[in-house]
């Protein structure tokens, strides 16, 4: 377990930063590359551990993939070209790899066993296995609906499925099943979630449409997917750490370059604006996912209210919303976020415990937090932990930027799941003071 010393940044954060590639898009580029015919080249690929897990799983299924720095090349085998793996596929810490692959593997002519690390093996998989049954899919989970699980390969049927949870992972698994079905399928969401699978599938040649309600997706099966070039935009979920760092740390002004501004992901920008953050966004030309440069400076923050409808567009940023609320003058209420209970950790609990350790008054609600913010905190214990959760580790590092005492973070290695260069970028923005 890596232990890191953290210190404050009294001079603030400054300069430009190129944000690493989007995690969700990097996973999907490997997957669609594998399921296409021909070669897919991926630039600005995220080399975090989760995306390497996806690449390794497809190698085990017979796909040749090379990763050289942030450039990846996938030699696609087509929807019908995967081979049975010789052993259990290791899903590591990655919920996205697991759930999306369940949809892909459900229609293959072989069975596949999946298992992950201690955290992933506790996360719910029935949310995928149950709706897959509408297509004739079959996933045999462990007791409690978790990994290890076996995906039994079957011939799949067309289906019309209403999803019970607002989850892009579940939606994407259904889309992958629908691609292998024997007719046109409809997938209905509860709330709109990130639509990277739909956008990228269209780029690769699939016939997939989203109705004006943004909730109803129609998928035509057996498209002829052709390898593409994918330029992965900067991950707004990684950029969000620096947006929040700049907003809460006095004397800061940073610019985050080429960040993905897909509206299904920009909830954190809406929150920052509502809280009164000084920020400015420059949209950039792009023929794929929307892209922009984000400038943000130290700000006086107002409290915020977040409810269920707001959650999908900021699901991974809610720990940061809690941190912003903890620095705002007044009481914030965040509800409708029960999904956080089943992330890499129970983030409602781990965020509340972490902020309480910083001396913030936080009440844990069943589905969120009540947070009494104030700019100055009284740290209770200087030794923090990531709880093995990448986003918690980064949250502690950002929160410590305004600390009056030096702090320690245990389990900092978890951060490499989504942001291997996090501490280098922190050093860059704080002028080497860390
Ligand atoms: C993801 C979807 C979200 C998000 C996760 C990545 C994706 O999960 O939290 O980090 O790439 O589809 P849910 O689908 O569980 O909301």
């Amino acid at each position: 377990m890596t232990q890191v010393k953290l210190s404050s940044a009294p001079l603030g954060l400054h300069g430009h930063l190129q944000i690493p590639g989007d995690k969700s898009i990097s996973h999907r580029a490997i997957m669609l590359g594998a399921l296409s015919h021909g070669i897919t080249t991926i630039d600005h690929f995220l080399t975090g551990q989760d995306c390497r897990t996806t690449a390794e799983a497809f190698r085990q299924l017979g796909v040749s993939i090379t990763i050289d720095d942030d450039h990846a090349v996938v030699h696609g085998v087509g929807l019908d070209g995967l081979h049975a793996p010789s052993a259990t596929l290791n899903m590591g810490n990655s919920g996205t790899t697991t759930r999306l692959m369940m949809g892909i593997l459900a229609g293959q002519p072989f069975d596949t066993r999946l298992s992950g690390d201690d955290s992933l093996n506790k996360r719910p998989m029935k949310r995928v296995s149950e709706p897959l049954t509408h297509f004739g899919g079959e996933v045999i989970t462990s007791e409690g609906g978790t990994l290890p699980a076996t995906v039994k390969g079957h011939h799949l049927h067309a289906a019309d499925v209403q999803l019970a949870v607002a989850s892009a992972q579940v939606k994407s698994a259904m889309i992958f099943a629908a691609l292998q079905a024997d007719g046109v399928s409809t997938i209905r969401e509860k709330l709109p979630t990130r639509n990277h699978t739909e956008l990228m599938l269209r780029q690769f040649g699939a016939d997939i449409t989203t109705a004006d309600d943004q909730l109803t997706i129609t998928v035509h099966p057996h498209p002829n997917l052709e390898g593409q070039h994918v330029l992965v935009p900067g991950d707004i979920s990684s950029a969000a750490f620096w947006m929040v760092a700049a907003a809460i740390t006095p004397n800061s002004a940073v610019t985050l370059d080429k960040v993905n501004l897909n509206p299904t992901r920009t909830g954190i920008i809406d929150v920052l604006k509502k809280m009164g953050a000084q920020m400015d966004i420059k949209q950039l030309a792009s023929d794929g996912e929307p892209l922009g440069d984000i400038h943000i400076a130290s700000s006086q923050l107002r409290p915020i209210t977040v409810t269920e409808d707001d959650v999908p567009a900021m699901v991974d940023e809610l720990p940061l919303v809690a941190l912003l609320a903890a620095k705002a003058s007044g009481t914030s209420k965040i509800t409708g976020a029960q999904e956080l209970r089943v992330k890499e950790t129970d983030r409602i609990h781990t965020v509340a415990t972490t902020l309480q350790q910083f001396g913030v008054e936080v009440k844990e609600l069943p589905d969120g937090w009540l947070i009494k913010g104030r700019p100055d905190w009284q740290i209770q214990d200087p030794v923090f932990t990531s709880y093995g959760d990448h986003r918690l580790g980064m949250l502690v590092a950002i929160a410590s930027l305004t600390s009056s005492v030096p702090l320690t973070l245990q389990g900092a290695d978890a951060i490499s799941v989504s942001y291997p260069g996090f501490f280098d970028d922190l050093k860059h923005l704080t002028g080497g003071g860390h």
Side-chain angles (χ1 to χ4, degrees), residues 122-138:
K122 290 194 187 83
R123 296 180 65 187
M125 296 299 154
K126 280 250 153 60
R127 54 180 52 206
V128 181
S129 62
E130 276 176 4
L132 269 181
T133 61
H134 294 277
F135 294 90
E138 188 186 4

Side-chain angles (χ1 to χ4, degrees), residues 93 95-96 99 119-125 127 144 146 165-167 169-170 315-316 337-350 366 389:
N93 189 245
T96 307
R99 296 196 178 117
S119 154
L120 184 62
N121 283 353
K122 290 194 187 83
R123 296 180 65 187
M125 296 299 154
R127 54 180 52 206
T146 57
V165 270
S167 159
Q169 294 177 351
V170 176
V315 64
D316 293 333
Q338 58 279 4
E339 272 297 297
L340 297 195
R341 296 259 181 221
V342 292
K343 292 291 178 192
E344 285 83 332
T345 56
D346 172 350
R347 287 184 179 154
I348 293 185
H349 183 64
T350 49
D389 181 337

Side-chain angles (χ1 to χ4, degrees), residues 355-399:
L355 289 178
Q356 283 157 359
Q357 203 180 327
F358 275 106
V360 181
E361 231 179 283
V362 182
K363 184 171 185 317
E364 193 179 322
L365 306 173
D367 59 346
W369 310 278
L370 198 61
I371 301 173
K372 213 165 162 186
R374 57 155 205 260
D376 296 318
W377 299 343
Q378 283 289 318
I379 291 168
Q380 308 294 302
D381 173 353
V383 182
F384 286 79
T385 171
S386 69
Y387 299 95
D389 181 337
H390 55 130
R391 298 201 198 280
L392 253 295
M394 292 188 276
L395 182 86
V396 170
I398 297 305

Side-chain angles (χ1 to χ4, degrees), residues 38-336:
I39 292 179
T40 288
T41 50
I42 311 169
D43 280 312
H44 205 47
F45 176 73
L46 176 67
T47 54
Q49 192 47 51
D50 272 11
C51 298
R52 289 185 184 278
T53 294
T54 293
E56 189 48 36
F58 277 95
R59 287 190 190 110
Q60 301 299 318
L61 294 164
V63 183
S64 158
I65 300 170
T66 55
I67 300 173
D68 185 9
D69 199 8
D70 67 351
H71 179 71
V73 179
V74 184
H75 294 258
V77 296
L79 268 167
D80 304 320
L82 299 175
H83 292 302
S86 56
T88 300
L89 295 186
N90 179 7
M91 299 287 103
N93 189 245
S94 182
T96 307
T97 312
T98 310
R99 296 196 178 117
L100 270 60
M101 289 196 67
M102 283 181 173
I104 294 170
L105 295 167
Q108 298 297 319
F110 51 82
D111 299 345
T112 314
R113 184 109 177 122
L114 307 177
S115 187
D117 69 8
D118 288 348
S119 154
L120 184 62
N121 283 353
K122 290 194 187 83
R123 296 180 65 187
M125 296 299 154
K126 280 250 153 60
R127 54 180 52 206
V128 181
S129 62
E130 276 176 4
L132 269 181
T133 61
H134 294 277
F135 294 90
E138 188 186 4
V139 179
I140 301 171
T141 61
S142 294
E143 210 183 315
T146 57
L147 295 183
T150 301
V151 185
K152 306 288 272 182
H154 288 300
H155 176 79
L156 299 180
H157 309 294
D160 186 327
V161 190
Q162 172 69 54
L163 300 178
V165 270
S167 159
Q169 294 177 351
V170 176
K171 170 180 65 175
S172 300
M174 298 308 121
I175 292 173
F176 284 125
L179 288 177
Q180 303 170 81
D182 58 8
V184 178
S185 296
T186 306
I187 297 150
R188 299 171 199 277
E189 287 205 90
K190 197 172 139 193
L191 289 171
T193 62
R194 67 190 67 190
N195 61 356
H196 307 301
T197 306
E198 297 91 304
L199 293 178
M200 200 184 289
L201 268 170
R202 266 174 228 138
Q203 181 195 345
F204 277 72
D207 185 352
I208 172 166
T209 50
T210 305
D212 289 345
D213 63 4
Q214 300 302 312
L215 298 170
T216 314
I217 298 136
T218 306
V219 184
H220 290 254
H222 302 286
N224 192 13
L225 301 175
E226 293 286 346
Q228 299 288 313
H229 175 247
V230 178
L231 175 59
V232 181
D235 195 330
I236 189 166
S237 297
S238 299
F241 287 95
W242 311 121
M243 292 183 218
V244 171
I248 67 171
T249 311
N251 310 312
S252 298
V254 303
T255 304
L256 310 167
D257 294 337
K258 296 187 195 147
V259 179
N260 180 221
L261 296 177
N262 181 318
T264 62
R265 298 282 300 278
T266 48
I268 184 68
I269 294 178
D270 301 335
V271 162
L272 279 160
K273 284 184 178 162
K274 276 194 202 146
M275 295 182 85
Q278 287 190 64
M279 65 191 304
D280 187 41
I281 295 171
K282 195 171 107 207
Q283 297 273 349
L284 301 171
S286 141
D287 52 8
E289 292 260 355
L291 212 61
D293 293 341
I294 300 172
H295 180 75
I296 181 156
S298 319
S299 310
Q300 296 285 329
L301 299 172
R302 296 188 283 270
I304 183 92
T305 302
V306 170
T307 59
E308 188 180 5
D309 288 2
D310 306 321
V311 166
M314 57 176 98
V315 64
D316 293 333
E317 289 66 70
L318 285 165
L320 286 168
V321 175
L323 173 57
L324 288 167
K327 282 285 176 187
S329 306
T331 301
S332 293
K333 191 172 185 185
I334 295 149
T335 56

